[in-house]
Amino acid sequence: MQQAVTRCYLATKAGGDEKSLIINAVGRDRLGLVSEITGYVISEGGNVGESQAAKLGNYFSLMMLVDVPENNLDALKHRLKSMTDMNATVFEATGDDSSGVMHQEVGYSGYFTLEGADHPGIVHKMTTALAAHGLSIDKLHTDQEIAPYGGSVLFKMKGIATATAPLAQSFDAIKIKEELADLGDSLNCEVDIEEVVDAHYEGSFYAG
């Protein structure tokens, strides 16, 4: 099992000539999928911005931020919906801000990890603990594998969690780290979170 999450904050372009959209496509993996989708965007006069893709078993998932001329929006939606073995949806921004994509300022960014025996509810408990401290999931990757000895299922999770600035007065990174370690003990897992102080984790997140 694998998951990938990306958060983007969107708004409509000034003047109403272009729309900022998120394309969310899921389907059977096959050669040339990203090329096909980006080709549709370009052919309709659009521009591709940020994107996030993941292979989930025999399936492929893609989230892509694009800007498309408003007059070509319906044509793009039709082409995406006609793709073979692919379910594509389009979210159209409706905000009043004219700045296009908006990224909220980050006050804290942490790289979290969990590794241990798999059991029901483990993802929910971990993400609930993060949310209790005002941390939002920006990226999440989970996986399962058979442990080298004993044949039990080993569950792994890693991700990036952030809190927007300004941080609440009660925000305490040390306390968060300690509470997550306690959670890990209760789950029979190794759980940790480290503050991201450079681009190392962002650049290497999906490398290993």
Side-chain angles (χ1 to χ4, degrees):
M1 176 176 62
Q2 297 180 359
Q3 297 177 330
V5 176
T6 295
R7 175 172 287 102
C8 293
Y9 300 86
L10 311 177
T12 306
K13 289 283 187 177
D17 294 331
E18 289 190 330
K19 292 287 187 179
S20 292
L21 314 168
I22 280 197
I23 296 171
N24 186 10
V26 180
R28 289 190 176 276
D29 187 32
R30 58 180 170 81
L31 183 65
L33 271 176
V34 177
S35 175
E36 183 176 349
I37 293 173
T38 55
Y40 291 157
V41 174
I42 299 303
S43 67
E44 297 299 340
N47 183 56
V48 177
E50 299 178 45
S51 64
Q52 183 70 64
K55 185 176 180 181
L56 313 171
N58 292 326
Y59 293 87
F60 182 81
S61 174
L62 171 70
M63 292 180 65
M64 180 179 293
L65 171 65
V66 302
D67 293 321
V68 178
E70 188 170 7
N71 292 339
N72 296 348
L73 180 57
D74 289 340
L76 175 61
K77 289 181 178 180
H78 177 75
R79 299 183 77 169
L80 291 171
K81 289 183 180 297
S82 65
M83 294 181 65
T84 304
D85 292 331
M86 180 65 58
N87 184 358
T89 58
V90 176
F91 171 77
E92 180 179 343
T94 58
D96 295 328
D97 190 282
S98 61
S99 60
V101 181
M102 300 177 295
H103 295 280
Q104 293 185 343
E105 183 180 354
V106 175
Y108 172 87
S109 182
Y111 175 77
F112 61 88
T113 57
L114 179 151
E115 182 174 330
D118 189 21
H119 58 80
I122 193 169
V123 174
H124 173 70
K125 291 177 181 178
M126 179 68 174
T127 54
T128 298
L130 293 170
H133 290 282
L135 291 168
S136 297
I137 306 297
D138 277 12
K139 293 184 179 181
L140 175 64
H141 177 93
T142 65
D143 201 3
Q144 294 175 319
E145 62 182 46
I146 302 300
Y149 304 100
S152 60
V153 177
L154 185 66
F155 183 83
K156 295 183 178 182
M157 177 193 302
K158 63 180 179 178
I160 300 290
T162 61
T164 56
L167 294 174
Q169 290 185 346
S170 60
F171 188 88
D172 188 337
I174 295 177
K175 182 180 179 181
I176 294 172
K177 185 179 179 72
E178 292 173 348
E179 290 190 6
L180 289 179
D182 291 340
L183 175 64
D185 290 340
S186 70
L187 297 173
N188 194 27
C189 296
E190 293 291 332
V191 180
D192 194 20
I193 186 169
E194 296 290 343
E195 184 172 5
V196 178
V197 295
D198 55 35
H200 171 70
Y201 290 123
E202 290 290 338
S204 62
F205 184 79
Y206 290 105

